[in-house]
Amino acid sequence: MSVGRYTLLGEIGAGGMATVHLARLRGPMGFVKTVAVKRLRQTLASEKGFVEMLVDEARLGARIQHPNVVSTLDVVIRPDEVLLVLDYVHGESLARLLAVAREENRDVPIPIVAAIVVDGLHGLHAAHSTRDETGTPL
């Protein structure tokens, strides 16, 4: 499925409000970039409050500059579609890591758990300390 310059390749995650897809951004002269696209569920795309929440998320995400926060690259709004285009981060998801540990009846090693939590907290701190152009906290 294509939406503008973005070709959605397959779903890689889902939540209550949106699905996340692996996608390709196609530009001029053969430019191609792999991205992630967060797609508001179609049942919510016509509801102003949900569209505003997703766009607010995009505005904030575009301002946060931190290695532990995925960058927002673009927003696409159409009558029946709302998409956030995000940098794609290649690798295993935390959900997959936990599923494999459960399947093997093993615990995730404490140093790995600690590193994930610490990195997540650094990203959360970046989000909470983000300011607008005038220095006002967002």
Side-chain angles (χ1 to χ4, degrees):
M1 169 190 192
S2 291
V3 179
R5 300 183 325 151
Y6 305 101
T7 302
L8 278 56
L9 302 173
E11 187 176 306
I12 56 174
M17 184 170 144
T19 54
V20 179
H21 301 261
L22 184 65
R24 286 255 159 53
L25 162 63
R26 297 200 183 277
M29 299 178 67
F31 175 83
V32 177
K33 179 176 175 70
T34 301
V35 295
V37 171
K38 186 172 185 177
R39 183 179 184 201
L40 190 63
R41 294 191 184 279
Q42 285 195 321
T43 56
L44 304 176
S46 61
E47 296 197 28
K48 185 179 176 186
F50 285 101
V51 172
E52 287 174 355
M53 271 196 300
L54 201 66
V55 172
D56 283 345
E57 177 184 330
R59 282 189 200 110
L60 181 60
R63 292 194 170 278
I64 302 169
Q65 299 296 312
H66 193 276
N68 296 335
V69 178
V70 174
S71 297
T72 303
L73 305 173
D74 195 8
V75 177
V76 177
I77 299 178
R78 295 187 169 192
D80 62 338
E81 290 275 14
V82 181
L83 309 173
L84 293 189
V85 180
L86 310 163
D87 266 334
Y88 173 68
V89 178
H90 179 75
E92 291 296 337
S93 69
L94 178 58
R96 177 79 178 129
L97 172 68
L98 296 174
V100 169
R102 258 192 315 275
E103 287 168 11
E104 296 179 359
N105 199 27
R106 295 175 43 183
D107 292 331
V108 177
I110 296 296
I112 292 174
V113 171
I116 291 168
V117 170
V118 168
D119 286 349
L121 289 172
H122 284 297
L124 188 60
H125 175 71
H128 282 247
S129 59
T130 299
R131 298 176 179 273
D132 68 11
E133 298 85 13
T134 66
T136 303
L138 296 172

